[in-house]
């Protein structure tokens, strides 16, 4: 059986908790912390999501865009990898990461295909913060027609709360309502197989930048 899929780019400053957020979405029962995105390229994971009030199951593919990279053009390659939606993550305890959210969106939306995709601003960080009536948030949400998802506190918890998961799932549904789903190529009927496929495709795109794969770049 082949699941439909959506592919979400996860953006934000180095250390804001992008990989940890993806780990908690994709592996809610797993122990430990997210591994962190690689300096040499993006990290990839896949969640098996069942739509509410439906028997339809969907692969939600997450491509974690590195906050810093050894390859100056590697982020642009990721943005052209057929992303269907964007999550911009900030750390509520470091206000600069919220201010930089606009810069991340400007970089991503320089690619025409990302100018009209669903966008969510994730308020993360180790402790809950009240961001009500914050001009920066209001401006971002209006400029990019973005949802604001208050997930603050998740980086200090082993798993997302049910309220936080519902916010994430509602964002998935926003995409389902806006665009048709694509289909994972035949034969990729498990999370592991789908993840390996995406990682291999990302490796191909990054290799030409300096003739090395991300794995080789790490070893050098």
């Amino acid at each position: 059986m082949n699941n439909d899929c959506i592919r979400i780019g996860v953006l934000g400053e180095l250390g804001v908790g992008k990989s940890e957020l993806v780990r908690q979405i994709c592996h809610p029962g797993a122990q430990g912390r997210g591994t962190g995105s690689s300096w040499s390229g993006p990290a990839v994971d896949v969640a098996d999501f069942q739509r509410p009030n439906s028997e339809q199951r969907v692969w939600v593919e997450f491509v974690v865009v590195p906050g810093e990279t050894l390859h100056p053009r590697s982020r642009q390659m990721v943005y052209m990898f057929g992303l269907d939606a964007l999550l911009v993550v900030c750390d509520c305890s470091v206000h600069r990461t919220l201010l930089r959210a606009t810069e991340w969106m400007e970089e991503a939306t320089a690619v025409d295909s990302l100018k009209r995709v669903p966008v969510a601003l994730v308020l993360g960080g180790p402790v809950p913060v009240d961001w009500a009536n914050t001009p920066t948030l209001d401006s971002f949400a209006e400029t990019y027609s973005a949802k604001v998802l208050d997930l603050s506190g998740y980086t200090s918890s082993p798993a997302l709360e049910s309220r936080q998961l519902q916010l994430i799932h509602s964002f998935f549904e926003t995409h389902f309502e806006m665009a048709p789903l694509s289909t994972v190529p035949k034969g990729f009927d498990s999370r592991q197989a789908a993840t390996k496929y995406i990682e291999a495709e990302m490796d191909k795109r990054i290799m030409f930048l300096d003739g090395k794969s991300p794995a080789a770049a790490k070893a050098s």
Side-chain angles (χ1 to χ4, degrees):
M1 181 182 70
N2 295 316
N3 286 32
D4 293 322
C5 69
I6 60 172
R7 181 173 294 150
I8 299 177
V10 186
L11 320 178
E13 295 291 281
L14 183 69
V16 294
K18 301 184 297 293
S19 296
E20 177 60 16
L21 174 62
V22 170
R23 182 196 70 81
Q24 292 191 25
I25 295 171
C26 297
H27 311 282
Q31 299 296 315
R33 311 296 292 177
T35 57
S37 54
S38 167
W39 275 67
S40 56
V44 175
D45 211 336
V46 179
D48 181 8
F49 173 64
Q50 181 163 352
R51 299 186 65 181
N53 306 314
S54 169
E55 295 183 359
Q56 183 183 24
R57 303 191 75 86
V58 179
W59 293 129
V60 182
E61 306 169 357
F62 293 94
V63 180
V64 181
V65 180
E68 300 287 346
T69 176
L70 297 175
H71 306 288
R73 294 169 54 201
S74 65
R75 288 206 295 260
Q76 282 70 30
M77 298 302 297
V78 177
Y79 297 143
M80 292 186 288
F81 193 57
L83 301 178
D84 300 305
L86 297 172
L87 287 176
V88 184
V89 182
C90 65
D91 181 343
C92 289
S93 65
V94 183
H95 191 63
R96 173 180 57 84
T97 66
L98 174 59
L99 298 177
R100 285 290 310 276
T102 298
E103 295 180 34
W104 280 98
M105 280 301 301
E106 289 299 307
E107 179 181 279
T109 55
V111 176
D112 286 342
S113 62
L114 296 182
K115 293 184 185 296
R116 293 167 294 278
V117 300
V119 176
L121 178 65
V122 174
L123 305 181
V127 295
V129 176
D130 183 6
W131 283 95
N133 301 316
T134 301
T136 305
L137 292 184
D138 296 340
S139 174
F140 185 94
E142 181 178 357
T143 301
Y144 300 105
S145 301
K147 286 180 172 287
V148 177
L149 309 182
D150 184 1
L151 307 185
S152 55
Y154 79 84
T155 56
S156 60
S157 299
L160 292 171
E161 300 173 359
S162 59
R163 173 191 63 82
Q164 295 171 324
L165 275 175
Q166 288 175 2
L167 290 174
I168 290 290
H169 293 169
S170 70
F171 178 64
F172 295 167
E173 287 295 321
T174 298
H175 170 75
F176 301 151
E177 293 167 1
M178 290 181 62
L181 295 169
S182 56
T183 301
V184 175
K186 291 183 179 180
F188 297 97
D189 56 357
S190 71
R191 187 208 316 266
Q192 292 79 8
T195 302
K196 288 181 179 179
Y197 166 75
I198 303 164
E199 288 175 336
E201 289 299 305
M202 294 305 305
D203 268 15
K204 291 176 187 176
R205 288 174 178 250
I206 293 172
M207 276 183 68
F208 89 95
L209 294 173
D210 66 353
K212 294 181 180 180
S213 69
K218 290 178 189 175
S220 62

